[in-house]
Amino acid sequence: MSLFDHSTKLVFDPLRLSARPAAIKAVFVLAGTLVLALASQIAVPMVPVPITMQTFAVTMIGALYGWRLGAVTVLTWLAEAAVGFPVLANGAGGLAPFAGATAGYLVSFPVIAALTGWLAERGWTGDKVIRSFGAHLAANMLCLAIGGLWLANLLGTEKAWLLGVAPFILGAVLKSALAAAVLKGVRIYTGR
């Protein structure tokens, strides 16, 4: 079984990715990295971590692509960043973001894409708006927890909470609600 292979019947697969050949899935991965790069540029500058639409895009890719392909897409985007492509917030790229204040959040992204995708594949999305909201919120909170732990290592627990977690909770709730609404629309539009 490969990372691109889904051998079980999925509850939510609006793009029908589980039935597509590997070459088409690779195109979706590249398209997903472009979406992630664009979402990263929608930012409200804050110190030490900006508010972006990255987590919205990460969880949406997880839900729409499924846990395997979603995680592969996010890992590919992070690899693009690591080699220097300006695909992260504020056009950042290279290895510095993986060692600085944003490292914990970046490390969490493939995990939260996989979590959201895994839950979506089991019906936590589409018509089940409350479950969809819960799946995205759980992923966003996991991102904040992992990012906050990394920041606590750099800045101390109190500063990490004040600068890297608390200001992002409302955004996580709003992005989770938006994701649930968009996925409800996808379910209505596609009938899947």
Side-chain angles (χ1 to χ4, degrees), residues 41-66:
Q41 304 319 308
I42 302 170
V44 176
M46 287 182 62
V47 174
V49 180
I51 294 177
T52 69
M53 289 300 285
Q54 284 175 325
T55 53
F56 174 79
V58 166
T59 61
M60 287 295 290
I61 285 171
L64 291 170
Y65 284 22

Side-chain angles (χ1 to χ4, degrees), residues 40-41 48-50 52 54 77-109 146-147 150-151 154:
S40 299
Q41 304 319 308
V49 180
T52 69
Q54 284 175 325
W77 168 66
L78 292 174
E80 291 171 353
V83 298
F85 293 169
V87 296
L88 300 177
N90 301 319
L95 295 177
F98 294 92
T102 59
Y105 303 97
L106 295 174
V107 166
S108 78
F109 288 166
I146 294 170
W150 175 259
L151 270 182
L154 297 177

Side-chain angles (χ1 to χ4, degrees), residues 117-180:
W118 189 84
L119 290 170
E121 288 175 357
R122 281 144 187 84
W124 284 56
T125 196
D127 292 333
K128 297 180 174 100
V129 176
I130 300 299
R131 284 186 179 183
S132 183
F133 171 77
H136 289 270
L137 187 60
N140 277 292
M141 290 297 122
L142 181 58
C143 175
L144 290 176
I146 294 170
L149 285 172
W150 175 259
L151 270 182
N153 185 47
L154 297 177
L155 307 174
T157 304
E158 186 176 344
K159 281 187 177 179
W161 170 258
L162 292 174
L163 298 173
V165 178
F168 299 95
I169 293 173
L170 178 60
V173 170
L174 295 174
K175 289 184 236 181
S176 298
L178 177 61

